[in-house]
Amino acid sequence: MIFSVKDSLRQAVEAASGGLATVMYTRKGQPVFLRRIPRFNLEDIDPSLGTGPHPAFVVNGETKSEIWIGMYPGVISQGELVSVPGVAPTATSLANAVAAAQAAGPGFHVMTNAEFAAIMLLHWKQNGGQDVLRGNTQWGRSHEAPWETAVRVDGRAPGEAVGDHLHLTGSGPLAWRHDGTAWGVADLVSPRQWVSGLRLVNGEIQVSLTEGIWHAVLPDGSLVAPGTAGTLKFDVPPNANYSEDGVAQNLGTPILRTSRKSPPAGWDDSAPDEDFARGSFAEVAVDTGVSVPSILRSLLILPPTGFKGRLAVRPYGTRLATRGSWGSELTQGAATLDLDRTGNAFRVARPAFAL
């Protein structure tokens, strides 16, 4: 990886952005456009989130002064995950995305859920506690503001509901960037993107804030070993009943609780794409006697008030996390969290860098 050599592209980007953005290079010399996110404390965003540095800045137990986030959704080129403008992003499995990010060199990785949350909390704070970020949610345009358009990868007109709904990276307006500037992180609302470090295992919420180590979460926010009694889980509504007819049905809005309705036999092992629970963040229920700890707020697993988006879960099997939506879904909100698919699904991934 080339980091310190001042080539003309990197110099131009750093000068034009005032140091907010840079270009790093992979092992194979490919450019990766990155936005610098300086460390901030949770209480400076909102006291309800906790205190101390946001978890995104604590990397394997070491607090970093900054992290670097790919300015654009990733494309896999020459086996490496890179972030460059004006290309079609690559949809792939999470395992392939992780391998491609690691192939780029030390420090490169798939953007974590914690990193995603940090960016979106900055956006939320900047906009007075509101999520106003828009993106491609209607075939190359925003359904909230249809005059905001991007260049579709298939060359079709924005809004034409046929073909490929994806758009070329960074080709949308500034309103589609996290801080509303030309050097902001683009395209967080769409396409749908993998985030590492968050999963649902048989309904249990598990986070990884240190590489290779997973924890479950207690209602008081303590991180404990997976499978510990009383950990927080997402479940289908208590009055819902699973079907076994091979048809995936929305059983209602998810509920946060410390127990789980048993799914049909074998579903925990086979993780079929059967019945699920889905609803807006505002509609998610919290079981009697259960509290939402600040870590779930700071990681945007259950975001603070003012965030757009929805939550979808399948509380059986291992489900990996994605954020945002496809360009054909009319789904509002980058924070939209899907915990309903296995790692074999095809999604886009965004590179990030911390070392």
Side-chain angles (χ1 to χ4, degrees):
M1 179 194 67
I2 304 171
F3 177 73
S4 59
V5 175
K6 285 281 189 180
D7 70 290
S8 58
L9 175 60
R10 184 178 176 212
Q11 283 183 310
V13 168
E14 291 182 352
S17 67
L20 287 176
T22 193
V23 177
M24 298 185 195
Y25 292 87
T26 67
R27 283 192 175 104
K28 294 180 178 178
Q30 299 189 92
V32 183
F33 286 72
L34 296 160
R35 167 63 187 258
R36 180 173 60 89
I37 306 294
R39 170 188 159 176
F40 63 82
N41 290 327
L42 293 166
E43 65 269 24
D44 296 332
I45 301 295
D46 192 275
S48 69
L49 300 177
T51 60
H54 188 280
F57 300 96
V58 183
V59 180
N60 295 328
E62 181 181 345
T63 301
K64 303 293 184 179
S65 61
E66 61 191 15
I67 54 177
W68 296 87
I69 305 298
M71 288 179 60
Y72 312 102
V75 57
I76 295 179
S77 172
Q78 300 181 54
E80 298 174 330
L81 184 66
V82 300
S83 175
V84 292
V87 300
T90 302
T92 188
S93 68
L94 179 57
N96 285 344
V98 167
Q102 292 174 343
F108 285 109
H109 58 275
V110 171
M111 180 176 66
T112 67
N113 180 70
E115 290 169 334
F116 169 87
I119 300 165
M120 286 304 299
L121 283 170
L122 287 173
H123 167 84
W124 178 78
K125 181 69 172 180
Q126 177 183 330
N127 290 281
Q130 293 296 315
D131 171 10
V132 299
L133 192 60
R134 294 189 291 271
N136 171 15
T137 51
Q138 192 180 39
W139 297 88
R141 67 185 183 184
S142 165
H143 76 282
E144 298 175 276
W147 58 91
E148 294 179 359
T149 65
V151 179
R152 286 175 46 166
V153 300
D154 62 5
R156 294 182 181 272
E160 188 178 352
V162 294
D164 193 329
H165 50 73
L166 292 174
H167 65 282
L168 300 183
T169 57
S171 64
L174 297 185
W176 295 12
R177 298 185 182 233
H178 88 283
D179 61 359
T181 75
W183 302 104
V185 179
D187 303 333
L188 289 165
V189 170
S190 176
R192 189 177 290 182
Q193 297 165 54
W194 292 115
V195 288
S196 61
L198 173 62
R199 67 187 184 187
L200 202 65
V201 179
N202 298 337
E204 184 179 66
I205 301 167
Q206 296 183 5
V207 298
S208 176
L209 302 178
T210 299
E211 187 175 2
I213 300 175
W214 289 92
H215 288 103
V217 185
L218 290 174
D220 66 1
S222 300
L223 299 181
V224 296
T228 299
T231 57
L232 291 172
K233 300 167 181 68
F234 283 130
D235 198 15
V236 299
N239 61 351
N241 293 307
Y242 286 107
S243 63
E244 296 184 76
D245 56 6
V247 178
Q249 302 178 55
N250 184 0
L251 300 182
T253 303
I255 182 171
L256 181 72
R257 56 194 314 202
T258 56
S259 59
R260 180 187 65 139
K261 178 186 288 287
S262 296
W267 281 18
D268 281 346
D269 295 324
S270 62
D273 288 338
E274 294 280 356
D275 296 345
F276 58 93
R278 183 172 64 201
S280 70
F281 286 126
E283 296 171 330
V284 174
V286 179
D287 208 2
T288 303
V290 174
S291 57
V292 181
S294 60
I295 190 171
L296 262 60
R297 301 294 191 199
S298 66
L299 293 177
L300 298 194
I301 296 171
L302 282 179
T305 302
F307 274 92
K308 299 181 289 186
R310 59 160 171 77
L311 172 68
V313 304
R314 281 189 169 98
Y316 48 89
T318 298
R319 308 293 175 169
L320 306 182
T322 62
R323 295 286 188 172
S325 65
W326 293 126
S328 58
E329 290 186 304
L330 295 179
T331 300
Q332 298 184 43
T336 288
L337 174 58
D338 285 328
L339 289 163
D340 62 348
R341 298 287 185 179
T342 67
N344 293 325
F346 271 43
R347 303 288 184 261
V348 173
R350 185 185 300 263
F353 181 88
L355 190 63

